[in-house]
């Protein structure tokens, strides 16, 4: 069986044209990195940019903290179920807003997928996380720069341009991601997300 994967991200750099209607065939950085983690056994069948997420329905949102991104993550979960996907993978830029990072980490820890499993008949696998401080820092990390989580948003953007990369260029970002033969490991938000994705794929596809 080929697992169906739903993607969430900031926009084209993250999810390519997968979030368009009808869905396009150009991948974004998230999909390229997932393919580096697990080359086969899955396919992207849907995606949504963060700004297009509809408000989460109130019934499931009760008894949870009120940060908007917690509700947005739950909305992505619901949309992935509606698209009959087995896995949700998403990335959200921190952009210097630490409450955003804390909210997303909190909802990932507290997410009770039994709420949806009872309705949809299966448990969705979720590989989500935050890019500290932005996706640009992840691109730098993939390019061999260390300690990128400690950079400010402005410093990450400045370093990209110093390396001759065009800021917000999907082509440049994808080229770096695709050229990365060995994924980074260790500390940092990128490594944390890659580790989570690997664990999710192992459970979902290999049953381990």
């Amino acid at each position: 069986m080929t697992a169906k994967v739903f993607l969430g991200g900031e926009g084209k750099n993250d999810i390519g044209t997968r979030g368009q209607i009808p869905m396009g065939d150009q991948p974004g950085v998230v999909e390229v990195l997932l393919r580096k983690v697990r080359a086969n056994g899955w396919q992207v069948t849907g995606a949504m940019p963060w700004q297009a997420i509809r408000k989460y329905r109130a019934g499931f949102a009760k008894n949870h903290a009120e940060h908007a991104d917690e509700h947005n993550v739950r909305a992505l979960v619901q949309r992935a179920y509606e698209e009959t996907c087995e896995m949700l993978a998403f990335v959200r830029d921190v952009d210097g807003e630490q409450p955003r990072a804390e909210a997303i980490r909190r909802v990932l820890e507290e997410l009770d997928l039994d709420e949806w499993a009872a309705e949809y008949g299966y448990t969705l696998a979720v590989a989500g996380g935050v890019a500290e401080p932005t996706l640009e820092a992840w691109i730098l990390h993939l390019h061999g720069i260390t300690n990128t989580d400690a950079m400010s948003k402005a410093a990450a953007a400045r370093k990209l341009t110093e390396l001759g990369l065009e800021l917000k260029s999907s082509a440049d970002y994808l080229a770096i991601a695709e050229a990365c033969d060995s994924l980074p490991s260790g500390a940092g938000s990128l490594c944390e997300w890659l580790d989570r994705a690997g664990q999710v794929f192992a459970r979902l596809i290999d049953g381990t």
Side-chain angles (χ1 to χ4, degrees):
M1 181 190 77
T2 300
K4 294 187 292 184
V5 178
F6 192 87
L7 303 179
E10 300 281 341
K12 188 177 179 181
N13 291 335
D14 296 63
I15 61 175
T17 60
R18 301 302 199 184
Q20 295 180 355
I21 301 175
M23 187 177 75
D25 58 5
Q26 179 184 340
V29 171
V30 171
E31 186 175 346
V32 169
L33 290 179
L34 288 175
R35 196 65 66 184
K36 296 283 186 177
V37 174
R38 177 79 187 211
N40 49 41
W42 62 276
Q43 63 178 341
V44 173
T45 59
M48 177 176 286
W50 210 263
Q51 71 269 19
I53 298 173
R54 66 177 181 267
K55 286 192 177 294
Y56 189 75
R57 74 192 193 201
F60 280 112
K62 64 183 179 181
N63 301 324
H64 293 292
E66 293 300 320
H67 192 281
D69 276 320
E70 290 188 82
H71 300 315
N72 287 338
V73 170
R74 293 188 179 91
L76 281 176
V77 169
Q78 184 177 321
R79 181 60 183 273
Y81 267 118
E82 291 170 353
E83 297 290 329
T84 65
C85 291
E86 288 86 28
M87 177 177 171
L88 165 65
F90 73 85
V91 173
R92 174 70 156 149
D93 284 3
V94 174
D95 279 333
E97 298 181 26
Q98 283 308 310
R100 173 187 293 176
E102 292 165 6
I104 290 176
R105 290 189 173 109
R106 182 167 58 247
V107 73
L108 287 172
E109 290 176 1
E110 298 175 353
L111 198 59
D112 184 2
L113 293 171
D114 290 342
E115 294 175 288
W116 288 271
E119 179 176 352
Y120 292 98
Y122 67 97
T123 301
L124 183 74
V126 179
V130 295
E132 292 265 17
T134 57
L135 184 70
E136 283 70 29
W138 278 18
I139 297 301
L140 291 173
H141 196 165
L142 292 170
H143 198 55
I145 308 299
T146 60
N147 203 29
T148 55
D149 277 28
M151 291 181 171
S152 67
K153 178 180 178 179
R158 189 163 54 248
K159 186 64 176 178
L160 268 181
T161 58
E162 289 174 1
L163 292 171
L165 302 171
E166 184 180 346
L167 191 61
K168 303 301 181 185
S169 167
S170 293
D172 282 359
Y173 291 12
L174 286 174
I176 295 296
E178 289 170 346
C180 186
D181 293 327
S182 179
L183 291 174
S185 60
S189 59
L190 172 58
C191 295
E192 179 182 314
W193 183 83
L194 291 170
D195 286 345
R196 183 178 293 119
Q199 293 167 15
V200 166
F201 276 134
R203 291 196 305 270
L204 181 64
I205 300 175
D206 301 323
T208 59

